[in-house]
Amino acid sequence: MLFEFRRKILAVIIGKTENFYTIESIEPSLNPHMFFKATRGCIISIGSIAKVSKYFNSRLKVSLKHNASMDLMISRARVQDFLKWLDG
């Protein structure tokens, strides 16, 4: 499952099915142990992560299981929060 924001509208993509919501309507209902706001435009579930690698300038690169063509970059400012989230 991937949550991707497109111009302040959330596209929830499950397989080939897409549903649309605003970020304000869905963010409060997400379990913070299961979901992480990786970028301003993307919330990922812990189960969707295939690999985490070090990247330039102290950032992290996250590869996803279900979308191999889409890698996410975790900013230097968010790395510590992301690592804590991964550790549970």
Side-chain angles (χ1 to χ4, degrees):
M1 180 183 300
L2 173 69
F3 295 121
E4 182 180 8
F5 297 99
R6 299 177 185 167
R7 297 182 189 174
K8 296 189 179 185
I9 300 295
L10 175 66
V12 178
I13 305 165
I14 303 172
K16 294 186 180 193
T17 305
E18 292 187 18
N19 295 302
F20 300 94
Y21 306 91
T22 64
I23 188 172
E24 292 84 8
S25 68
I26 199 164
E27 195 169 19
S29 64
L30 296 176
N31 179 341
H33 299 290
M34 298 295 298
F35 296 94
F36 184 82
K37 189 173 181 182
T39 67
R40 281 186 261 163
C42 193
I43 293 175
I44 55 174
S45 71
I46 199 158
S48 69
I49 298 172
K51 182 180 175 183
V52 178
S53 317
K54 290 183 180 181
Y55 201 69
F56 292 104
N57 205 14
S58 301
R59 294 180 294 165
L60 296 175
K61 178 177 156 183
V62 178
S63 300
L64 303 175
K65 290 179 184 176
H66 305 292
N67 194 344
S69 64
M70 182 180 179
D71 289 329
L72 300 172
M73 298 302 158
I74 306 297
S75 71
R76 186 172 55 201
R78 302 276 296 149
V79 165
Q80 291 303 318
D81 291 336
F82 180 74
L83 293 175
K84 279 185 192 177
W85 174 74
L86 276 180
D87 287 340

